[in-house]
Amino acid sequence: MVGGIASGRDAPPAVLDRDWVLIELTIIGTSAGAPTRHRNVTSLAVQFGQRRDWWMIDCGEGTQHRLLHESHLKSPRLSRILITHAHVDHCFGLPGLLASRSLSGSATGPLNIHGPPEVGAWLASLDTTIGMRLDYEVRFHPVLAPGVVVEDGGVVVHSVKADHWGEAWCYRIDEPTRPGSLDTVALAALGVPAGPVRGAIARGETVTLSDGRVVDGAALLGPERPGASLVFSGDTMGPNAALTELARDADLLVHEATYHHDLADIARDHRHATSRQAAEVARDAGVLRLVITHASARYERPDGSIDPSLLADARTIFPETVQAHDGLRFTI
Ligand SMILES: [Zn+2]
Ligand SMILES: [Zn+2]
């Protein structure tokens, strides 16, 4: 992992286990408008610690090719895609990705896609215009108003309007609250063997051991752990007050920062944000960490890195900021 952050505001436990890792985020593409030699256009992947499927946010053209470099992201296990808006750098990768997922022959479940209605109309037209056939079901769910977009296995997605062109959305993904950590030292002192009894105690149940002792599992659990939370701005003019509220106390905010603040006028005219405005949203929302992405090609240096002035400007306002690059991964 390139970066890792703790869910909640306490220090992470000394030993990280799979149960503690709630969300793994992979930034698949970071370029704005069009791809560059080093960066593809926008897409993010979200994996959950307790689930085999994974979700995608936005799918710019060429996303399926970038996925070939991310061996932990297999398209047959992709179950849900959230599209922020109908600009080409955020959704034109869908037809190719959908077709290749079908060609793989191993996609089983349906693929749920959420986004502005025009994205659904466009996808539906692929059947009648180019005869695209898929061997699995695509279910399109139009996002029509701010509020709950998805409830799936305890994971909830909320949306607010982005301040961009046409119908454009920002999304927040929240994992459910988890039971507290098991006090393994106390458990060892009781001499409880590994197995179903130990599992029942970890779920907070009261069990009777083989020697007749009664163990109250709830007494061996720490306080409930808040679920991880991830917010993505999509493209938006900044600072966006609705997005600031959506991101309140989130673990991680991924916010577009197309421009340096020197070009704030151009950013406003194009309905995009500067890195400083992204940092203002992160600060005002009280998030733990900010990732800035969607940098204009004008800031890309010959080695593919982004001019450090964008990050430096953001860090004067919100120090816990990271500049995204394609392939960047975070554990929440
Ligand atoms: Zn864009
Ligand atoms: Zn856009």
Side-chain angles (χ1 to χ4, degrees), residues 9 16 29 34 87 93 98 122 151 180 213 288 291 321:
R9 297 180 191 271
L16 303 184
H87 279 170
L98 267 53
W122 170 55
E151 290 181 280
R213 286 181 294 156
L288 280 182
V291 175
T321 305

Side-chain angles (χ1 to χ4, degrees), residues 33-219:
T36 70
R37 283 186 64 199
H38 297 279
R39 296 182 296 142
N40 199 44
V41 285
T42 297
S43 186
L44 292 73
V46 182
Q47 296 174 278
F48 304 93
Q50 302 297 309
R51 301 169 61 131
R52 287 169 58 84
D53 64 331
W54 61 280
W55 297 3
M56 176 180 285
I57 309 177
D58 278 346
C59 185
E61 179 190 355
T63 291
Q64 65 163 322
H65 192 258
R66 275 287 301 124
L67 282 178
L68 299 177
H69 299 274
E70 308 293 348
S71 59
H72 60 296
L73 300 172
K74 306 295 187 192
S75 69
R77 288 188 182 171
L78 173 62
S79 67
R80 198 174 293 280
I81 302 176
L82 306 169
I83 298 293
T84 60
H85 63 299
H87 279 170
V88 296
D89 57 325
H90 294 259
C91 69
F92 263 36
L94 283 173
L97 179 72
L98 267 53
S100 295
R101 187 175 186 268
S102 187
L103 282 174
S104 75
S106 52
T108 52
L111 182 60
N112 293 280
I113 303 178
H114 307 257
E118 55 265 38
V119 174
W122 170 55
L123 290 176
S125 75
L126 295 173
D127 181 6
T128 54
T129 53
I130 65 170
M132 190 167 88
R133 301 280 190 274
L134 304 173
D135 66 359
Y136 57 89
E137 181 186 3
V138 172
R139 298 174 183 166
F140 185 79
H141 311 269
V143 179
L144 302 172
V148 175
V149 174
V150 177
E151 290 181 280
D152 179 351
V155 179
V156 180
V157 179
H158 286 86
S159 67
V160 296
K161 279 211 162 185
D163 201 350
H164 195 52
W165 304 102
E167 291 293 304
W169 299 99
C170 317
Y171 294 119
R172 173 178 177 133
I173 299 176
D174 282 294
E175 276 240 305
T177 299
R178 306 266 167 177
S181 299
L182 186 62
D183 186 341
T184 53
V185 174
L187 197 63
L190 290 170
V192 178
V197 173
R198 199 176 182 128
I201 292 173
R203 293 190 295 272
E205 299 172 13
T206 298
V207 300
T208 302
L209 304 181
S210 57
D211 60 8
R213 286 181 294 156
V214 176
V215 176
D216 177 9

Side-chain angles (χ1 to χ4, degrees), residues 212-285:
R213 286 181 294 156
V214 176
V215 176
D216 177 9
L220 294 175
L221 297 180
E224 284 190 330
R225 296 169 292 176
S229 47
L230 165 69
V231 179
F232 180 51
S233 70
D235 286 0
T236 188
M237 195 162 69
N240 177 329
L243 172 58
T244 304
E245 283 309 308
L246 184 75
R248 181 70 57 201
D249 296 331
D251 292 309
L252 183 63
L253 168 63
V254 182
H255 197 299
E256 74 123 296
T258 310
Y259 295 98
H260 186 274
H261 213 69
D262 288 347
L263 299 180
D265 289 347
I266 293 178
R268 188 184 60 246
D269 290 348
H270 293 188
R271 306 186 82 78
H272 282 294
T274 69
S275 63
R276 189 183 304 181
Q277 291 166 342
E280 289 170 357
V281 171
R283 177 198 62 196
D284 294 347

